Amino acid sequence: MEIKITRKLNPAAKPQDESKLGFGTIFTDHMFLMLWDKAQGWHDAEILPLGNLSIHPSSSVLHYGAEIFEGLKAYRRADGGIQLFRPWENFARFNRSARRMGLPEVDPEFCLEALKKLIALDADWVPHNPGTSLYIRPFMFGDDENLAVHGSGKARFIIILSPVGSYYPEGLAPVKIMIEDEDVRAVRGGTGEAKCGGNYGASVRAGNRAEERGFSQVLWLDGVEQKYIEEVGAMNIMFKINGRIVTPALNGSILPGITRKSILELLRSKGIEAEERRISVDELMEAARTGALEEAWGCGTAAVVSPVGVLAYQGEEYTIGGGKIGTVTQQLYNELTGIQWGELPDPFGWVCKLN
Ligand SMILES: *Cc1c(COP(=O)(O)O)cnc(C)c1O
């Protein structure tokens, strides 16, 4: 499929102060868009100036939540070049999410080509400061213009780009996490393993409550017994307990993170086999009480690795590793970011160079 390109006539000024980029508030000049319907399949692919969308008020995304997304980054290397990290994984996961939500699948290779073209056009927007990157948000929504509930007969796929600041402007800072024992995020057989907007809609209330109590995020328990650890808001979770690295097994309700997968592969390459299994909140709290819980960290594209300094559950608070970042946490952060920004060799073939 041809991609029609319409350049913006008056490109916006790039942000001057890269220390103030924040997350997801500034967007580049262009976006990619293509349309789908049952009769034609994907069609009308184009790169055009970023702008508002026009949506019929009956569009299915507005009523029944037919929406999925991805999140990945483009990194500026020291030599000025730009690279992606495992984008193939993102588009493969996107198609799994699409299947779960009754949305059409995309051609991953075509989407990656479209993304490369889009980034090439907006290459000056990829920031240079250490820790900064260009956040990439591919998403799709059902766009049937009628109120009947059924699988999507019409959809739009869009990619937008946003230069983002360093997640840790003051260095890796441990966060306080609250284990949620009222709301649940997902259940097995539900949409927990799909990257869909609805999962986030359902998690907002608990997130707000945690924030009011001084915590930065919620750690979710399983949706059936509220007994087993699942994941953090937008991150998977890992622990070092008695010298062993453990993480909840992918059980159908946990989002299969690419950062999670990369860390497990990185550890395996060093001969360290992390345990992927069920971890009960009782086991975790017991380990926290006795000091067997040596480290805890969240992992996801935005933060890469986020050390957990405090865990709270049912009114009790436990400090992990003296509230400081642990050695494994720090090492994983250094190695992953080293590969992502091209400062370390990439023996795994994870990097996709654009130039
Ligand atoms: C995106 C996401 C993650 C992390 O996945 P990565 O591929 O590592 O960025 C974890 N949990 C949820 C709920 C997510 O949406």
Side-chain angles (χ1 to χ4, degrees), residues 268-344:
R268 195 166 300 138
S269 75
K270 299 172 190 295
I272 302 167
E273 201 60 42
E275 293 173 19
E276 294 179 74
R277 62 171 173 86
R278 285 213 296 199
I279 305 164
S280 74
V281 64
D282 292 341
E283 174 191 350
L284 188 68
M285 289 303 107
E286 178 63 15
R289 256 175 240 124
T290 61
L293 177 57
E294 297 158 44
E295 299 185 36
W297 62 90
C299 54
T301 295
V304 190
V305 168
S306 180
V308 179
V310 172
L311 261 184
Y313 182 55
Q314 296 186 332
E316 286 186 72
E317 276 192 27
Y318 301 92
T319 301
I320 303 165
K324 298 204 181 65
I325 179 167
T327 47
V328 174
T329 310
Q330 181 74 57
Q331 194 183 347
L332 289 170
Y333 178 81
N334 293 350
E335 293 190 20
L336 267 185
T337 55
I339 295 173
Q340 287 168 336
W341 271 274
E343 289 149 8
L344 290 178

Side-chain angles (χ1 to χ4, degrees), residues 93 185 195 200 231 233-236 255 257-259 299-301:
R93 184 171 66 189
R185 190 190 83 96
K195 214 166 169 73
Y200 280 78
E231 63 175 314
M235 290 189 287
N236 295 111
L255 199 287
I258 295 159
T259 317
C299 54
T301 295

Side-chain angles (χ1 to χ4, degrees), residues 184-213:
V184 297
R185 190 190 83 96
V187 292
R188 215 170 341 113
T191 58
E193 66 182 351
K195 214 166 169 73
C196 64
N199 290 340
Y200 280 78
S203 72
V204 163
R205 182 170 73 174
N208 287 348
R209 266 198 309 251
E211 241 169 65
E212 278 163 21
R213 295 174 195 167

